[in-house]
Amino acid sequence: MKPKNASEPMLEKPEIIKKETKHKGWLELVIANIQSKDNNLLNYQYEIVNAGQGVLVLPFIDDKTLLLSLQYRLPQDELNLELIGGGKKKNETPEQAGLRELVEETGYTGCVEQFLMVQPAPAIMNLKVYIMRATNLKKVSEPQTDWLERMEIIIVSYEQILKEVLRGLHKDCMLNLAVLYNKMKYS
């Protein structure tokens, strides 16, 4: 059912008539039947993806050199150049999760600081992504990844990636955001 006046935005929390979990895995799909408090929108089915929290790390080996991940992604059916990252556990701070993911996926440790928290698709999911910047990297081990995390770690010039981002060559919005934000904040 559509609102009587479809151009009116939803500016207040609707009444939730019923919520039902349709799928529960590492993502959860919930259907919420909602209606507006003024009954302008009656019993609308709103689909919500509960995705938890994640961390992404923009790791600098030195002032000019990055570590990035080249990894096949099934939803896009292609290789993507990405930041290092993964899920944040409930008992971890974003910085602890970022450091854990950095060590697991690259074998490097360093100083990790959060510089952004974003919600990439707030209309449909509750995912929070904490974006970190890592500096003073030191190799401490070999990567410890499982088969879903198989990736190639790429060592690349920050200036090269910045130029590629500005030319629109990378599809990963988090990579683009982190590279541009880093340029604005630290240059």
Side-chain angles (χ1 to χ4, degrees):
M1 173 172 268
K2 293 190 183 226
K4 292 176 189 171
N5 183 348
S7 66
E8 290 182 22
M10 184 165 63
L11 297 174
E12 62 182 34
K13 183 178 178 176
E15 179 184 345
I16 298 172
I17 300 165
K18 177 182 163 188
K19 261 181 145 175
E20 183 180 359
T21 300
K22 293 291 188 178
H23 171 78
K24 191 166 187 151
W26 63 277
L27 292 176
E28 182 179 87
L29 176 61
V30 174
I31 306 296
N33 289 57
I34 63 172
Q35 73 180 37
S36 61
K37 292 183 178 167
D38 62 4
N39 293 325
N40 199 24
L41 176 65
L42 299 173
N43 203 19
Y44 182 82
Q45 278 197 339
Y46 202 101
E47 297 172 357
I48 303 164
V49 177
N50 289 328
Q53 298 182 6
V55 293
L56 294 170
V57 182
L58 182 67
F60 283 85
I61 294 175
D62 57 42
D63 291 344
K64 298 178 181 181
T65 313
L66 292 174
L67 287 177
L68 296 174
S69 163
L70 183 63
Q71 189 171 13
Y72 173 79
R73 293 299 186 188
L74 187 60
Q76 289 77 28
D77 192 24
E78 63 188 19
L79 286 172
N80 282 326
L81 190 63
E82 303 174 350
L83 300 171
I84 305 303
K88 179 186 156 311
K89 297 175 182 175
K90 289 186 181 196
N91 63 341
E92 291 179 308
T93 66
E95 292 80 8
Q96 289 168 334
L99 184 58
R100 177 183 49 75
E101 287 291 340
L102 180 64
V103 172
E104 283 177 9
E105 294 185 1
T106 70
Y108 283 83
T109 190
C111 299
V112 176
E113 69 171 305
Q114 177 186 333
F115 66 33
L116 277 174
M117 188 284 288
V118 295
Q119 294 175 301
I124 61 168
M125 71 171 51
N126 66 357
L127 175 64
K128 287 183 182 178
V129 179
Y130 299 92
I131 302 178
M132 315 285 161
R133 182 176 195 261
T135 55
N136 301 318
L137 299 188
K138 292 182 180 129
K139 184 81 168 175
V140 293
S141 67
E142 290 304 311
Q144 303 295 316
T145 58
D146 63 35
W147 73 274
L148 280 173
E149 296 178 309
R150 287 191 185 140
M151 64 189 73
E152 182 179 347
I153 299 301
I154 306 291
I155 297 174
V156 64
S157 152
Y158 175 75
E159 287 302 317
Q160 176 186 334
I161 292 297
L162 177 61
K163 287 176 186 174
E164 291 173 2
V165 165
L166 291 171
R167 289 177 49 211
L169 299 179
H170 296 288
K171 298 174 187 174
D172 182 351
C173 68
M174 296 301 184
L175 173 66
N176 294 334
L177 177 63
V179 167
L180 293 172
Y181 188 81
N182 182 79
K183 180 68 174 172
M184 291 175 62
K185 186 168 181 173
Y186 296 101
S187 291

